[in-house]
Amino acid sequence: MKKFFFLLLLAGLGWVAGCKTQQAPVTGDTSANSLDWEGTYEGTLPCADCEGITTSISLDREGKYVKTTRYLGKSGEEYRQEGRFEWNSAGNTISLTGITDAPNQYLVGENQLFHLDSEGNRITGALAANYVLKKVVAKTNHPLLDANWVLTDMEKFPDEDWNPGEIFVFLEEESSRLHGFGGCNNFFGVYELKTGNGLELGKIGRTQKYCQDEMQAENFFFAYLEQVRYYRLEGDTLELRDEDNMLLLTFTKNLGED
């Protein structure tokens, strides 16, 4: 009889242990169920003996992650880790399973992951801002990219003082570069897509041709490009807006240039 009860006890303990491997569902208003956290996050984390650790973490709705790292200033080799992640009971922090040789916890914020220390605490001090990975926008088949956008309207600039149909911009999907024509000069630069329809255009250069009748409109156009922070797409119409979401430039998609 004692042996029978002993076996029952072992079976019960085994059942309890098995239950502990199942993650309890997260309830309430938390990062896990109220944020659009699925996607890829990137950044460069500080490194004690290198120039920085470029880090990319992709999370999917099935609870799987892919993490890649590269140590700048060293071999340049990329390290890849895959596995599952688990939410804590508060639903605001994930742990990447299978990583035992480095901190593996991240606080999940809106469009960002905060790299936590080995004890699971937020990193503070002068370098705190460097321990954040930002969510990136997928570029593949993005409707804004690899299309000729022809300018149709410039806010606060008379339509009769420039030639609609000539000025255009083209954002390259593969290289994150842009090019176009400003009415007199060709121009080129880089762009960055951000979450929430964010868009920034940077390092814009242009040829040095002088066109007396077109220079005023072109300079106005380039000044607006520097102010762009957001975009809005409605069908074949593209609007570029400033940091206050005020309309600057309106384009239409040139279907003949796809």
Side-chain angles (χ1 to χ4, degrees):
M1 183 63 70
K2 290 182 178 180
K3 182 177 181 181
F4 173 74
F5 282 114
F6 179 71
L7 291 175
L8 283 179
L9 178 61
L10 287 179
L13 290 174
W15 178 82
V16 171
C19 289
K20 289 183 178 179
T21 63
Q22 302 295 321
Q23 184 177 4
V26 177
T27 59
D29 190 12
T30 67
S31 298
N33 54 36
S34 64
L35 295 181
D36 181 21
W37 50 261
E38 184 178 20
T40 300
Y41 301 78
E42 296 180 351
T44 301
L45 302 177
C47 176
D49 58 354
C50 68
E51 298 172 10
I53 307 172
T54 60
T55 304
S56 173
I57 297 177
S58 296
L59 308 174
D60 69 21
R61 287 288 171 183
E62 296 181 356
K64 299 177 182 178
Y65 77 86
V66 176
K67 179 182 180 182
T68 59
T69 53
R70 185 165 59 89
Y71 291 79
L72 301 177
K74 289 195 171 184
S75 66
E77 181 180 357
E78 185 175 89
Y79 299 90
R80 179 185 176 96
Q81 296 168 291
E82 299 182 39
R84 302 193 66 84
F85 64 89
E86 297 180 348
W87 291 92
N88 66 352
S89 59
N92 59 16
T93 300
I94 59 172
S95 298
L96 309 184
T97 63
I99 298 179
T100 58
D101 58 347
N104 69 335
Q105 296 185 72
Y106 294 84
L107 178 68
V108 181
E110 187 170 6
N111 299 321
Q112 54 192 340
L113 297 179
F114 298 90
H115 183 81
L116 304 181
D117 65 18
S118 57
E119 302 298 325
N121 300 315
R122 283 282 299 272
I123 296 173
T124 59
L127 295 179
N130 296 325
Y131 287 92
V132 181
L133 305 180
K134 299 289 187 178
K135 191 176 184 181
V136 298
V137 179
K139 294 172 60 180
T140 304
N141 297 322
H142 194 290
L144 179 62
L145 307 181
D146 280 354
N148 248 38
W149 295 101
V150 179
L151 186 69
T152 58
D153 190 60
M154 283 195 290
E155 294 296 306
K156 300 181 181 180
F157 195 86
D159 291 344
E160 62 270 17
D161 290 345
W162 62 287
N163 298 318
E166 294 186 355
I167 299 175
F168 76 90
V169 62
F170 186 99
L171 283 71
E172 303 170 6
E173 177 183 295
E174 184 176 353
S175 65
S176 294
R177 296 190 62 83
L178 63 88
H179 66 268
F181 181 65
C184 177
N185 288 281
N186 295 314
F187 66 92
F188 44 88
V190 296
Y191 71 89
E192 181 181 1
L193 286 175
K194 299 186 176 183
T195 56
N197 284 8
L199 173 66
E200 290 194 20
L201 313 178
K203 298 182 180 179
I204 295 178
R206 52 174 153 167
T207 55
Q208 297 300 310
K209 184 180 178 181
Y210 180 80
C211 309
Q212 182 173 350
D213 295 335
E214 289 83 14
M215 290 309 295
Q216 184 179 11
E218 182 173 90
N219 290 334
F220 207 90
F221 173 68
F222 283 122
Y224 268 165
L225 288 184
E226 294 179 358
Q227 300 175 48
V228 172
R229 295 296 180 271
Y230 298 98
Y231 71 91
R232 177 181 294 174
L233 270 174
E234 293 186 6
D236 292 330
T237 299
L238 167 65
E239 297 178 350
L240 298 184
R241 296 171 171 267
D242 66 13
E243 61 183 356
D244 296 320
N245 209 27
M246 299 296 293
L247 180 61
L248 301 173
L249 303 166
T250 303
F251 298 79
T252 187
K253 189 175 184 180
N254 187 341
L255 299 177
E257 297 293 336
D258 284 355

